[in-house]
Amino acid sequence: MSLPVRRRVAVVGTGAIVSGGHLPALRAHADRTELVAAVDVDQVRLDAFRASAGERVAGFTSMSAMLDAVRPDLVLIGTPPSLHREQTVAALKAGAWVLCEKPLCLSLAEYDDIAAAEEASGAYASVIFQHRYGSGAAHARALIRGGELGAPLVAHCQTTWHRDAAYYSVPWRGRWATEGGGPTMGHGIHQFDLLLHLLGEWEEIRAMAARLVHDTESEDVSTALVRFRGGALATVVNSVLSPDEVSRIRVDCADATVELTHLYGHSNDDWSYTPARHVSAERAEAWRTPVADVPSSHTAQLGVLLDAYDAGVRPPGSGAEARSTLEFAAALYKAAFTGVPVRAGGIGPGDPFYAAMHGGHSDWAPEERA
């Protein structure tokens, strides 16, 4: 039996998300990956990361220098959001696949730059939406998409978290140019991405957003009403104002209610299935979550990406899937800021919300600084 091919991996950014998420994922897939390089503009942080990585990892303070010297197969990006487009495009042009923290970029216009770089290079860029990749999510999606629970009818998607003023004292947070938005882009995007993964294509959004507490350019809460192509109606709440923190998805189908309740990650035990009264016990028993429990994590998503790399096919979480989630965020902002319903496919070049999530709206666009 031949040994798995080990992909040469570089990380860009060595902060908490890379040390706490990507590095454990690489260690879990050590038979398939080799961490060869790390990039960070902060030399002290870079040196600390290299010491903790436990491997002979080359260090660079410039991504371009790293790409020229190392030519990695895969680049993992964990920098602030405003850097994602430029760094993703650079990695793709160097022929590397990319796995980038959310949001992949700050606008649909930036996404289309990434798509063009993919087309030119033949490499792919995926965005970290690790909540899709646990066994509980895979099982729920198979049941819902396969029609086993009956038609989806009503859904609720809730990201009610809490962030204080100290959180927003970090200079790049709460600003359109550096974070791309508030909890819609930076927090709730994980849950509504999972909702889209479960229910499929959305058709129309009506929304509201507000700054109720924090002194930020972007919102600190948003809410939306969504119609899906299959007819289901959903509510989506994205908040950083909620002392009792929870992440929740509930889907009411004709034959069962599926519910996920967690905070920052889920396992099989976080999912429940409540059968409708007309459903037999034998049928409901078949809906039980799998025996194998794969928690949602960077490790799970990296494994799926490596499978796609080995097969030479586009990985999940890239292409049309990634764009649909970003388009959902843009449409939510447009609907909230204009008060007009927005339909899928309705934001394209020439639309101000194509270029920026604030859409240049007078109440929301950042003030020009002298």
Side-chain angles (χ1 to χ4, degrees):
M1 180 181 295
S2 60
L3 294 174
V5 175
R6 295 185 79 198
R7 306 296 175 185
R8 301 172 69 253
V9 181
V11 297
V12 180
T14 61
I17 195 63
V18 172
S19 297
H22 292 281
L23 186 55
L26 290 170
R27 286 172 171 159
H29 294 288
D31 60 332
R32 306 177 71 184
T33 64
E34 178 187 6
L35 180 58
V36 296
V39 180
D40 202 303
V41 295
D42 185 324
Q43 186 69 55
V44 173
R45 189 167 57 206
L46 176 62
D47 291 343
F49 176 83
R50 292 174 67 200
S52 69
E55 300 183 43
R56 299 172 64 181
V57 180
F60 298 85
T61 55
S62 161
M63 183 174 177
S64 60
M66 180 276 291
L67 291 172
D68 288 342
V70 176
R71 310 300 293 185
D73 301 312
L74 173 64
V75 174
L76 309 181
I77 297 176
T79 53
S82 61
L83 303 174
H84 290 177
R85 183 204 64 83
E86 179 183 357
Q87 292 172 340
T88 297
V89 168
L92 290 169
K93 287 183 175 179
W97 284 34
V98 175
L99 183 58
C100 179
E101 282 298 322
K102 57 78 188 164
L104 180 58
C105 53
L106 302 188
S107 68
L108 289 169
E110 288 193 354
Y111 181 86
D112 289 345
D113 288 344
I114 292 172
E118 280 189 330
E119 181 68 24
S121 69
Y124 298 113
S126 292
V127 58
I128 286 285
F129 284 132
Q130 71 270 24
H131 294 258
R132 289 185 172 205
Y133 297 93
S135 53
H139 182 67
R141 185 175 191 263
L143 292 175
I144 293 170
R145 293 291 193 98
E148 295 298 322
L149 307 182
L153 303 173
V154 182
H156 307 277
C157 178
Q158 174 185 349
T159 303
T160 42
W161 295 356
H162 190 270
R163 298 294 183 267
D164 60 15
Y167 176 86
Y168 284 105
S169 69
V170 176
W172 58 266
R173 288 186 176 141
R175 294 180 176 272
W176 294 107
T178 49
E179 195 171 22
T184 307
M185 278 283 275
H187 305 85
I189 195 169
H190 276 299
Q191 296 312 304
F192 65 70
D193 174 77
L194 180 54
L195 183 71
L196 298 178
H197 187 59
L198 295 174
L199 294 186
E201 297 180 358
W202 60 275
E203 194 168 75
E204 180 183 333
I205 299 179
R206 302 166 186 249
M208 292 187 290
R211 298 184 202 94
L212 298 182
V213 173
H214 294 293
D215 182 18
T216 57
E217 291 179 347
S218 53
E219 85 290 357
D220 55 18
V221 61
S222 69
T223 64
L225 300 175
V226 186
R227 186 188 307 277
F228 281 84
R229 184 157 297 176
L233 299 182
T235 62
V236 176
V237 178
N238 309 296
S239 166
V240 288
L241 308 179
S242 308
D244 183 10
E245 294 188 292
V246 69
S247 305
R248 179 177 290 123
I249 286 179
R250 171 174 169 151
V251 180
D252 295 323
C253 299
D255 296 339
T257 292
V258 184
E259 192 160 13
L260 166 66
T261 303
H262 66 119
L263 186 53
Y264 299 137
H266 55 79
S267 62
N268 286 353
D269 288 344
D270 297 314
W271 293 82
S272 66
Y273 294 82
T274 303
R277 291 173 183 159
H278 64 267
V279 173
S280 68
E282 292 77 16
R283 183 180 172 199
E285 178 66 18
W287 301 337
R288 294 182 61 184
T289 51
V291 174
D293 191 354
V294 179
S296 64
S297 65
H298 287 65
T299 298
Q301 182 165 359
L302 179 60
V304 172
L305 182 139
L306 292 170
D307 290 343
Y309 202 133
D310 291 346
V313 298
R314 174 177 287 283
S318 68
E321 290 182 0
R323 196 182 194 283
S324 178
T325 299
L326 193 67
E327 183 190 7
F328 186 96
L332 193 157
Y333 281 123
K334 182 176 181 178
F337 297 168
T338 66
V340 176
V342 178
R343 297 184 67 83
I347 300 176
D351 188 311
F353 288 89
Y354 176 78
M357 292 290 170
H358 57 70
H361 191 278
S362 58
D363 293 336
W364 289 95
E367 296 181 3
E368 293 185 6
R369 292 174 170 80

Coordinates of all heavy atoms in Angstrom, one line a residue, residues 92-172:
L92 N -2.7 31.8 -5.1 CA -3.2 31.1 -6.3 C -2.3 31.3 -7.5 O -2.0 30.4 -8.3 CB -4.6 31.7 -6.6 CG -5.8 31.3 -5.6 CD1 -7.0 32.1 -5.9 CD2 -6.1 29.8 -5.7
K93 N -1.8 32.6 -7.7 CA -0.9 32.9 -8.8 C 0.3 32.1 -8.7 O 1.0 31.7 -9.7 CB -0.6 34.4 -8.8 CG -1.8 35.2 -9.3 CD -1.4 36.7 -9.4 CE -2.5 37.5 -10.1 NZ -2.2 38.9 -10.1
A94 N 0.7 31.7 -7.5 CA 1.9 30.9 -7.3 C 1.6 29.4 -7.4 O 2.5 28.5 -7.3 CB 2.5 31.1 -5.9
G95 N 0.4 29.1 -7.7 CA 0.0 27.7 -8.0 C -0.4 26.9 -6.7 O -0.7 25.7 -6.8
A96 N -0.6 27.6 -5.6 CA -1.0 26.9 -4.4 C -2.5 27.0 -4.2 O -3.1 27.9 -4.5 CB -0.3 27.6 -3.2
W97 N -3.0 25.9 -3.6 CA -4.4 25.9 -3.1 C -4.4 26.8 -1.8 O -3.4 26.9 -1.2 CB -4.9 24.5 -2.8 CG -5.2 23.7 -4.0 CD1 -4.6 23.7 -5.3 CD2 -6.2 22.7 -4.1 NE1 -5.2 22.8 -6.1 CE2 -6.2 22.2 -5.4 CE3 -7.2 22.2 -3.2 CZ2 -7.1 21.2 -5.9 CZ3 -8.0 21.2 -3.6 CH2 -8.0 20.7 -5.0
V98 N -5.6 27.3 -1.5 CA -5.8 28.1 -0.3 C -6.9 27.7 0.5 O -8.0 27.3 0.0 CB -6.0 29.6 -0.8 CG1 -6.3 30.5 0.4 CG2 -4.9 30.1 -1.6
L99 N -6.7 27.7 1.8 CA -7.8 27.6 2.8 C -7.7 28.8 3.7 O -6.7 28.9 4.5 CB -7.6 26.3 3.6 CG -8.7 26.0 4.6 CD1 -10.1 25.9 4.0 CD2 -8.4 24.7 5.4
C100 N -8.7 29.7 3.6 CA -8.6 31.0 4.2 C -9.7 31.2 5.3 O -10.8 30.7 5.1 CB -8.8 32.1 3.1 SG -8.7 33.8 3.7
E101 N -9.4 31.8 6.4 CA -10.4 32.1 7.4 C -11.5 33.0 6.8 O -11.3 33.7 5.8 CB -9.7 32.9 8.5 CG -9.0 32.0 9.5 CD -9.9 30.9 10.2 OE1 -11.0 31.3 10.5 OE2 -9.4 29.8 10.4
K102 N -12.7 32.9 7.4 CA -13.8 33.8 6.9 C -13.6 35.2 7.4 O -12.9 35.4 8.4 CB -15.1 33.2 7.4 CG -15.2 33.0 8.9 CD -15.5 34.3 9.7 CE -15.4 34.1 11.2 NZ -15.3 35.4 11.9
P103 N -14.1 36.2 6.7 CA -14.7 36.0 5.4 C -13.5 35.9 4.4 O -12.5 36.5 4.6 CB -15.4 37.3 5.2 CG -14.7 38.3 6.0 CD -14.2 37.6 7.2
L104 N -13.8 35.2 3.3 CA -12.7 35.0 2.3 C -12.3 36.3 1.7 O -11.1 36.5 1.4 CB -13.3 34.1 1.2 CG -12.3 33.8 0.0 CD1 -11.1 33.1 0.5 CD2 -13.1 32.9 -1.0
C105 N -13.2 37.3 1.6 CA -12.9 38.6 1.2 C -14.0 39.5 1.6 O -15.0 39.1 2.3 CB -12.7 38.6 -0.4 SG -14.1 37.9 -1.2
L106 N -13.9 40.8 1.3 CA -14.8 41.8 1.9 C -15.9 42.2 1.0 O -16.8 43.0 1.4 CB -14.0 43.1 2.2 CG -12.8 42.9 3.2 CD1 -12.3 44.2 3.6 CD2 -13.3 42.1 4.4
S107 N -16.0 41.7 -0.3 CA -17.1 42.1 -1.2 C -17.2 41.1 -2.3 O -16.3 40.3 -2.5 CB -16.8 43.5 -1.8 OG -15.7 43.4 -2.7
L108 N -18.3 41.1 -3.0 CA -18.5 40.3 -4.2 C -17.5 40.6 -5.3 O -17.0 39.8 -6.0 CB -19.9 40.4 -4.7 CG -21.0 39.7 -3.8 CD1 -22.4 40.1 -4.3 CD2 -20.8 38.2 -3.8
A109 N -17.1 41.9 -5.4 CA -16.1 42.3 -6.4 C -14.8 41.6 -6.1 O -14.1 41.1 -7.0 CB -16.0 43.8 -6.4
E110 N -14.4 41.6 -4.8 CA -13.2 41.0 -4.4 C -13.3 39.5 -4.6 O -12.3 38.8 -5.1 CB -12.8 41.2 -2.9 CG -12.4 42.6 -2.6 CD -11.8 42.8 -1.3 OE1 -11.8 41.8 -0.5 OE2 -11.2 43.9 -1.0
Y111 N -14.4 38.9 -4.4 CA -14.6 37.5 -4.6 C -14.3 37.2 -6.1 O -13.7 36.2 -6.4 CB -15.9 36.9 -4.2 CG -16.0 35.5 -4.5 CD1 -15.6 34.6 -3.5 CD2 -16.4 35.0 -5.7 CE1 -15.5 33.2 -3.8 CE2 -16.4 33.6 -6.0 CZ -15.9 32.7 -5.0 OH -15.9 31.4 -5.3
D112 N -14.9 38.0 -7.0 CA -14.7 37.7 -8.4 C -13.3 37.9 -8.9 O -12.8 37.2 -9.8 CB -15.7 38.6 -9.2 CG -17.1 38.2 -9.0 OD1 -17.3 37.0 -8.6 OD2 -18.0 38.9 -9.4
D113 N -12.5 38.7 -8.2 CA -11.0 38.7 -8.4 C -10.4 37.4 -8.1 O -9.5 36.9 -8.8 CB -10.4 39.8 -7.5 CG -10.7 41.2 -8.0 OD1 -11.1 41.4 -9.2 OD2 -10.4 42.2 -7.2
I114 N -10.8 36.8 -7.0 CA -10.3 35.5 -6.5 C -10.7 34.4 -7.6 O -9.9 33.6 -7.9 CB -10.8 35.1 -5.1 CG1 -10.1 36.1 -4.1 CG2 -10.5 33.7 -4.8 CD1 -10.7 36.0 -2.7
A115 N -12.0 34.5 -8.0 CA -12.4 33.5 -9.0 C -11.6 33.6 -10.3 O -11.3 32.5 -10.9 CB -13.9 33.7 -9.3
A116 N -11.3 34.8 -10.7 CA -10.5 35.0 -11.9 C -9.1 34.4 -11.7 O -8.5 33.8 -12.6 CB -10.4 36.4 -12.3
A117 N -8.5 34.6 -10.5 CA -7.2 34.0 -10.2 C -7.2 32.5 -10.2 O -6.3 31.8 -10.6 CB -6.7 34.5 -8.9
E118 N -8.3 31.9 -9.6 CA -8.5 30.4 -9.7 C -8.5 30.0 -11.2 O -7.8 29.0 -11.5 CB -9.8 30.1 -9.1 CG -9.9 30.0 -7.6 CD -11.2 29.4 -7.1 OE1 -12.2 29.5 -7.7 OE2 -11.2 28.7 -6.0
E119 N -9.3 30.6 -12.0 CA -9.4 30.2 -13.4 C -8.1 30.3 -14.1 O -7.7 29.4 -14.9 CB -10.4 31.2 -14.1 CG -10.7 30.9 -15.5 CD -11.4 29.5 -15.8 OE1 -12.1 29.1 -14.8 OE2 -11.3 29.0 -16.9
A120 N -7.3 31.3 -13.8 CA -6.0 31.4 -14.5 C -4.9 30.4 -14.0 O -4.1 30.0 -14.7 CB -5.5 32.9 -14.2
S121 N -5.0 30.0 -12.7 CA -4.0 29.2 -12.1 C -4.3 27.7 -12.1 O -3.4 26.9 -12.1 CB -3.7 29.6 -10.7 OG -4.9 29.3 -9.8
G122 N -5.6 27.4 -12.1 CA -6.0 26.0 -11.9 C -6.0 25.5 -10.5 O -6.4 24.4 -10.2
A123 N -5.7 26.4 -9.5 CA -5.7 26.1 -8.1 C -7.0 26.6 -7.6 O -7.8 27.3 -8.2 CB -4.5 26.8 -7.4
Y124 N -7.3 26.2 -6.3 CA -8.6 26.6 -5.7 C -8.5 27.2 -4.4 O -7.5 27.0 -3.6 CB -9.5 25.3 -5.5 CG -9.8 24.6 -6.8 CD1 -9.3 23.3 -7.1 CD2 -10.6 25.1 -7.7 CE1 -9.6 22.6 -8.2 CE2 -11.0 24.5 -8.9 CZ -10.4 23.2 -9.1 OH -10.7 22.6 -10.3
A125 N -9.4 28.1 -4.0 CA -9.5 28.8 -2.8 C -10.7 28.4 -2.0 O -11.8 28.7 -2.5 CB -9.4 30.3 -2.9
S126 N -10.6 27.9 -0.8 CA -11.7 27.5 0.1 C -11.7 28.5 1.3 O -10.7 28.9 1.7 CB -11.7 26.1 0.5 OG -11.9 25.2 -0.5
V127 N -12.9 28.7 1.8 CA -13.1 29.5 3.0 C -13.4 28.6 4.2 O -14.1 27.6 4.1 CB -14.2 30.6 2.8 CG1 -15.5 30.0 2.4 CG2 -14.3 31.5 4.0
I128 N -12.9 29.0 5.3 CA -13.1 28.2 6.6 C -14.5 28.4 7.0 O -14.9 29.5 7.5 CB -12.1 28.6 7.7 CG1 -10.7 28.0 7.4 CG2 -12.6 28.1 9.0 CD1 -10.6 26.5 7.6
F129 N -15.4 27.4 6.8 CA -16.7 27.3 7.4 C -16.8 25.9 8.1 O -17.5 25.0 7.6 CB -17.8 27.5 6.4 CG -18.0 29.0 6.0 CD1 -18.1 29.3 4.7 CD2 -18.1 30.0 6.9 CE1 -18.3 30.6 4.3 CE2 -18.3 31.3 6.6 CZ -18.3 31.6 5.2
Q130 N -16.1 25.8 9.2 CA -15.9 24.4 9.7 C -17.1 23.8 10.3 O -17.2 22.6 10.4 CB -14.8 24.5 10.8 CG -15.2 25.2 12.1 CD -14.9 26.6 12.1 OE1 -14.8 27.3 11.1 NE2 -14.8 27.2 13.3
H131 N -18.2 24.6 10.5 CA -19.4 24.0 11.0 C -20.1 23.1 10.0 O -21.0 22.3 10.4 CB -20.4 25.1 11.5 CG -19.9 25.9 12.6 ND1 -20.3 25.7 13.9 CD2 -18.9 26.9 12.7 CE1 -19.6 26.5 14.7 NE2 -18.8 27.2 14.0
R132 N -19.8 23.2 8.7 CA -20.4 22.3 7.7 C -19.8 20.9 7.9 O -20.5 20.0 7.3 CB -20.0 22.8 6.3 CG -20.7 24.0 5.9 CD -20.3 24.3 4.4 NE -21.0 25.4 3.8 CZ -21.2 25.5 2.5 NH1 -20.7 24.5 1.7 NH2 -21.9 26.5 2.0
Y133 N -18.7 20.7 8.5 CA -17.9 19.5 8.3 C -18.0 18.5 9.4 O -17.4 17.4 9.3 CB -16.4 19.9 8.0 CG -16.4 20.7 6.7 CD1 -16.4 22.0 6.7 CD2 -16.4 20.0 5.5 CE1 -16.4 22.8 5.5 CE2 -16.3 20.7 4.3 CZ -16.3 22.1 4.3 OH -16.3 22.8 3.2
G134 N -18.7 18.7 10.5 CA -18.9 17.7 11.5 C -19.9 16.6 11.0 O -20.7 16.8 10.1
S135 N -19.8 15.5 11.6 CA -20.7 14.4 11.2 C -22.1 14.7 11.5 O -23.0 14.2 10.7 CB -20.3 13.1 12.0 OG -20.2 13.3 13.4
G136 N -22.4 15.5 12.5 CA -23.8 15.8 12.8 C -24.4 16.7 11.6 O -25.5 16.5 11.2
A137 N -23.6 17.6 11.1 CA -24.1 18.5 10.0 C -24.2 17.6 8.7 O -25.2 17.8 8.0 CB -23.1 19.6 9.8
A138 N -23.3 16.8 8.5 CA -23.4 15.9 7.3 C -24.6 15.0 7.3 O -25.3 14.9 6.3 CB -22.1 15.1 7.1
H139 N -24.9 14.5 8.5 CA -26.1 13.6 8.7 C -27.4 14.4 8.5 O -28.3 14.0 7.8 CB -26.0 13.0 10.1 CG -27.2 12.0 10.3 ND1 -27.3 10.8 9.7 CD2 -28.2 12.1 11.2 CE1 -28.4 10.2 10.2 NE2 -28.9 11.0 11.1
A140 N -27.5 15.6 9.1 CA -28.7 16.4 9.0 C -28.9 16.8 7.5 O -30.0 16.8 7.0 CB -28.6 17.6 9.9
R141 N -27.8 17.2 6.8 CA -28.0 17.6 5.4 C -28.5 16.5 4.6 O -29.3 16.7 3.7 CB -26.6 18.2 4.9 CG -26.7 18.7 3.5 CD -25.4 19.3 3.1 NE -25.5 20.1 1.9 CZ -25.1 19.7 0.7 NH1 -24.8 18.4 0.5 NH2 -25.2 20.5 -0.4
A142 N -27.9 15.3 4.8 CA -28.3 14.2 4.0 C -29.8 13.9 4.2 O -30.6 13.6 3.2 CB -27.5 12.9 4.3
L143 N -30.3 14.0 5.4 CA -31.7 13.7 5.7 C -32.6 14.8 5.1 O -33.6 14.5 4.5 CB -31.9 13.6 7.2 CG -31.3 12.4 8.0 CD1 -31.6 12.6 9.5 CD2 -31.9 11.1 7.5
I144 N -32.2 16.0 5.3 CA -33.0 17.1 4.7 C -33.0 17.2 3.2 O -34.1 17.2 2.6 CB -32.5 18.5 5.3 CG1 -32.8 18.6 6.8 CG2 -33.3 19.7 4.6 CD1 -32.1 19.7 7.5
R145 N -31.8 17.1 2.6 CA -31.7 17.2 1.2 C -32.3 16.0 0.5 O -32.8 16.0 -0.6 CB -30.3 17.4 0.8 CG -29.7 18.7 1.2 CD -30.3 19.9 0.4 NE -29.5 21.1 0.5 CZ -28.6 21.6 -0.3 NH1 -28.3 20.9 -1.4 NH2 -27.9 22.7 -0.1
G146 N -32.2 14.8 1.2 CA -32.8 13.6 0.6 C -34.3 13.4 0.8 O -34.8 12.4 0.3
G147 N -34.9 14.4 1.5 CA -36.4 14.3 1.7 C -36.8 13.4 2.7 O -38.1 13.2 2.9
E148 N -35.9 12.8 3.6 CA -36.3 11.9 4.6 C -37.2 12.5 5.7 O -37.9 11.8 6.3 CB -35.1 11.3 5.2 CG -34.2 10.4 4.2 CD -35.0 9.2 3.7 OE1 -35.8 8.6 4.5 OE2 -34.8 8.9 2.5
L149 N -37.0 13.8 5.9 CA -37.8 14.5 7.0 C -39.0 15.2 6.4 O -39.7 15.9 7.2 CB -36.9 15.4 7.7 CG -35.6 14.9 8.2 CD1 -34.8 15.9 9.0 CD2 -35.8 13.6 9.1
G150 N -39.3 15.1 5.1 CA -40.3 15.8 4.5 C -39.8 17.2 4.1 O -38.7 17.6 4.3
A151 N -40.7 18.0 3.5 CA -40.3 19.3 3.0 C -39.9 20.2 4.1 O -40.7 20.4 5.0 CB -41.4 19.9 2.1
P152 N -38.8 21.0 4.0 CA -38.5 22.0 4.9 C -39.5 23.1 4.8 O -39.8 23.6 3.7 CB -37.1 22.5 4.5 CG -36.5 21.4 3.7 CD -37.7 20.7 3.0
L153 N -40.0 23.6 5.9 CA -41.0 24.6 5.9 C -40.6 25.9 6.6 O -40.9 27.0 6.1 CB -42.3 24.1 6.6 CG -42.8 22.8 6.0 CD1 -43.9 22.2 6.9 CD2 -43.3 23.0 4.6
V154 N -40.1 25.8 7.8 CA -39.7 27.0 8.7 C -38.4 26.7 9.3 O -38.0 25.6 9.7 CB -40.8 27.2 9.8 CG1 -40.4 28.4 10.6 CG2 -42.2 27.2 9.3
A155 N -37.6 27.8 9.3 CA -36.2 27.7 9.9 C -35.9 28.9 10.7 O -36.4 30.0 10.5 CB -35.2 27.4 8.8
H156 N -35.0 28.7 11.7 CA -34.5 29.8 12.6 C -33.0 29.6 12.6 O -32.5 28.5 12.9 CB -35.1 29.7 14.0 CG -36.6 29.7 14.0 ND1 -37.3 30.9 13.9 CD2 -37.4 28.7 14.1 CE1 -38.6 30.5 13.9 NE2 -38.7 29.2 14.1
C157 N -32.3 30.7 12.5 CA -30.8 30.7 12.5 C -30.4 31.8 13.5 O -30.6 33.0 13.2 CB -30.2 30.9 11.1 SG -28.4 30.9 11.1
Q158 N -29.7 31.4 14.5 CA -29.5 32.4 15.6 C -28.0 32.3 16.0 O -27.4 31.3 16.4 CB -30.3 32.0 16.8 CG -30.1 32.8 18.1 CD -30.9 32.2 19.3 OE1 -31.8 31.4 19.1 NE2 -30.6 32.6 20.5
T159 N -27.3 33.5 15.9 CA -26.0 33.7 16.5 C -26.1 34.9 17.4 O -26.1 36.0 17.0 CB -25.0 34.0 15.4 OG1 -24.9 33.0 14.4 CG2 -23.6 34.2 16.0
T160 N -26.3 34.6 18.7 CA -26.5 35.6 19.7 C -25.3 35.5 20.7 O -25.3 34.7 21.6 CB -27.8 35.5 20.4 OG1 -28.1 34.1 20.7 CG2 -29.0 36.0 19.6
W161 N -24.3 36.3 20.4 CA -23.0 36.3 21.1 C -22.9 37.6 21.8 O -23.7 38.5 21.7 CB -21.9 36.0 20.2 CG -21.8 34.7 19.5 CD1 -22.7 33.6 19.8 CD2 -20.9 34.2 18.6 NE1 -22.4 32.6 19.0 CE2 -21.3 32.9 18.3 CE3 -19.8 34.8 18.0 CZ2 -20.5 32.1 17.4 CZ3 -19.1 34.0 17.1 CH2 -19.4 32.7 16.8
H162 N -21.8 37.8 22.6 CA -21.5 39.0 23.3 C -20.1 39.4 23.1 O -19.1 38.6 23.3 CB -21.8 38.8 24.8 CG -21.8 40.1 25.5 ND1 -20.6 40.6 26.1 CD2 -22.8 41.0 25.8 CE1 -20.9 41.8 26.7 NE2 -22.2 42.1 26.5
R163 N -19.9 40.6 22.7 CA -18.5 41.2 22.6 C -18.5 42.6 23.2 O -19.4 43.4 23.0 CB -18.1 41.4 21.1 CG -18.0 40.0 20.3 CD -16.9 39.2 20.9 NE -16.8 37.9 20.1 CZ -17.3 36.8 20.4 NH1 -18.1 36.7 21.5 NH2 -17.1 35.7 19.7
D164 N -17.5 42.9 24.1 CA -17.5 44.1 24.8 C -16.7 45.2 24.1 O -16.1 44.9 23.0 CB -17.0 43.9 26.2 CG -15.6 43.3 26.3 OD1 -14.9 43.3 25.2 OD2 -15.2 42.8 27.4
A165 N -16.5 46.3 24.8 CA -15.8 47.4 24.1 C -14.3 47.1 23.9 O -13.7 47.5 23.0 CB -15.9 48.7 25.0
A166 N -13.8 46.3 24.8 CA -12.4 45.9 24.7 C -12.1 45.1 23.4 O -11.1 45.3 22.7 CB -11.9 45.1 25.9
Y167 N -13.1 44.3 23.1 CA -13.0 43.5 21.8 C -12.9 44.4 20.6 O -12.1 44.2 19.7 CB -14.2 42.6 21.7 CG -14.3 41.8 20.4 CD1 -13.7 40.6 20.3 CD2 -15.0 42.3 19.3 CE1 -13.8 39.9 19.1 CE2 -15.1 41.6 18.1 CZ -14.5 40.3 18.0 OH -14.6 39.6 16.9
Y168 N -13.6 45.5 20.6 CA -13.6 46.4 19.5 C -12.5 47.5 19.6 O -12.4 48.4 18.7 CB -15.0 47.1 19.3 CG -16.0 46.2 18.7 CD1 -17.0 45.6 19.5 CD2 -16.0 45.8 17.4 CE1 -17.9 44.7 18.9 CE2 -16.9 45.0 16.8 CZ -17.8 44.4 17.6 OH -18.7 43.5 17.0
S169 N -11.7 47.4 20.6 CA -10.6 48.3 20.7 C -9.4 47.9 19.8 O -8.5 48.7 19.5 CB -10.1 48.4 22.1 OG -9.5 47.2 22.5
V170 N -9.5 46.7 19.3 CA -8.5 46.2 18.3 C -8.8 47.0 17.0 O -9.9 47.1 16.5 CB -8.7 44.7 18.0 CG1 -7.8 44.3 16.9 CG2 -8.4 43.9 19.3
P171 N -7.8 47.7 16.5 CA -8.0 48.7 15.4 C -8.8 48.3 14.2 O -9.5 49.1 13.6 CB -6.6 49.2 15.1 CG -5.8 48.9 16.3 CD -6.4 47.7 16.9
W172 N -8.6 47.0 13.8 CA -9.3 46.6 12.5 C -10.7 46.1 12.7 O -11.4 45.9 11.7 CB -8.4 45.5 11.8 CG -8.2 44.3 12.6 CD1 -7.0 44.0 13.3 CD2 -9.0 43.1 12.7 NE1 -7.1 42.7 13.8 CE2 -8.3 42.1 13.5 CE3 -10.2 42.7 12.1 CZ2 -8.8 40.9 13.7 CZ3 -10.7 41.5 12.4 CH2 -10.0 40.6 13.2

